[in-house]
Amino acid sequence: LMEFGFSKIKFDRIIANSPETKKKLMRLSFSSPIDVIVSGVDINFINRVKEVRDEHTIVYVGRLVKYKNVDMLLRAVARLKPDFPKIKIRIIGSGPEEANLKSLSKSLDIDAEFLGYVSEKEKISVVKSSTIYVNPSSVEGLGLGLIEAMACMTPIVALNLNCYFFCNSGNSMLYTNENGLYLALRKLLENPDYRKKVAKQAYKTSLNYSWDITAQKVEDVYKKAGE
């Protein structure tokens, strides 16, 4: 009802945080001009956070709900364990699926650490220290966490969603099914040189989404609205 009501209001401009959000607003019949400005990431802050690279460590950041598909990630880690016995996964976040996921990780006999909610600094430190950042979620509006991971120079693996317009074959690995997740993780774990190559391209991508650039784009929209 709120979406319907807002769609009938005439705005000077509307700011959407991703092309996918813009499409949704247009489908809802918002007729005002829509500008896409991605929420920024604090590149300077991320660069200042210290890291201790932990080989064969996978990190997930997000809510622990069913559509995030963290269970799929845990099963992929279990498949990788015979060839990478020191593999571990760190899970940042909480939610209704936490108990089930802890039980699953125990039954799969994998090294899974559930960190719950952590400070922004600790989150970035864990992501920077990890080998791979994974987002297996099937529903996202933008996936800002992926851009943060890019800024951390941590290679990302994610389900192939339309909202990840900033991802390409050079800066990330996107998959379409559970086996694809396993294969993507395996490729990155087996190839340190490839990981470095992806990480460098990812970092270059993240520089396009700094808060300075975002602020400038917002200022430009405000100027247009005042014309």
Side-chain angles (χ1 to χ4, degrees):
L1 289 174
M2 288 177 65
E3 290 172 343
F4 176 78
F6 280 122
S7 71
K8 303 305 176 185
I9 300 174
K10 179 63 178 177
F11 299 96
D12 292 321
R13 321 252 343 157
I14 296 173
I15 296 177
N17 73 336
S18 73
E20 198 65 18
T21 301
K22 179 178 179 177
K23 290 177 184 176
K24 291 178 181 178
L25 292 173
M26 293 175 69
R27 286 198 295 269
L28 289 166
S29 299
F30 279 79
S31 58
S32 304
I34 302 174
D35 296 276
V36 175
I37 302 178
V38 177
S39 300
V41 295
D42 194 337
I43 303 291
N44 293 330
F45 169 72
I46 291 173
N47 288 339
R48 289 195 303 269
V49 175
K50 294 182 179 180
E51 66 189 84
V52 180
R53 285 289 176 180
D54 197 350
E55 191 70 9
H56 295 171
T57 298
I58 294 169
V59 62
Y60 164 83
V61 180
R63 293 186 64 216
L64 302 184
V65 292
K66 287 188 176 181
Y67 68 81
K68 294 291 187 177
N69 302 317
V70 181
D71 57 327
M72 183 187 299
L73 175 56
L74 295 178
R75 288 192 295 270
V77 170
R79 288 180 65 185
L80 290 162
K81 186 178 178 181
D83 294 320
F84 305 94
K86 292 185 179 180
I87 193 170
K88 61 177 72 73
I89 180 168
R90 290 172 173 161
I91 297 172
I92 296 176
S94 188
E97 286 296 301
E98 185 170 351
N100 291 335
L101 293 170
K102 285 181 177 178
S103 178
L104 177 60
S105 63
K106 187 175 182 180
S107 66
L108 292 171
D109 190 28
I110 58 175
D111 186 352
E113 185 178 7
F114 290 78
L115 300 175
Y117 291 108
V118 299
S119 68
E120 188 70 12
K121 184 176 181 179
E122 185 178 352
K123 180 191 78 172
I124 295 300
S125 179
V126 171
V127 173
K128 287 184 76 172
S129 300
S130 298
T131 312
I132 306 170
Y133 178 102
V134 184
N135 186 2
S137 177
S138 55
V139 179
E140 287 290 346
L142 170 64
L144 192 63
L146 268 65
I147 300 178
E148 288 183 333
M150 286 179 164
C152 292
M153 292 192 72
T154 300
I156 61 173
V157 174
L159 184 63
N160 192 358
L161 301 178
N162 291 334
C163 61
Y164 299 146
F165 64 93
F166 49 86
C167 291
N168 57 56
S169 59
N171 65 17
S172 56
M173 295 194 72
L174 303 181
Y175 65 91
T176 57
N177 53 45
E178 188 164 345
N179 193 55
L181 169 59
Y182 163 75
L183 293 174
L185 293 174
R186 187 177 190 88
K187 182 175 182 178
L188 286 169
L189 291 171
E190 287 179 336
N191 298 277
D193 290 339
Y194 179 67
R195 287 204 307 270
K196 291 178 182 178
K197 182 180 178 181
V198 171
K200 287 181 180 178
Q201 289 300 315
Y203 183 75
K204 289 181 181 178
T205 299
S206 73
L207 297 179
N208 296 319
Y209 302 100
S210 70
W211 271 120
D212 288 340
I213 291 176
T214 296
Q216 183 59 58
K217 289 182 177 179
V218 172
E219 183 178 350
D220 292 342
V221 169
Y222 287 170
K223 287 178 179 178
K224 290 178 185 176
E227 292 175 354

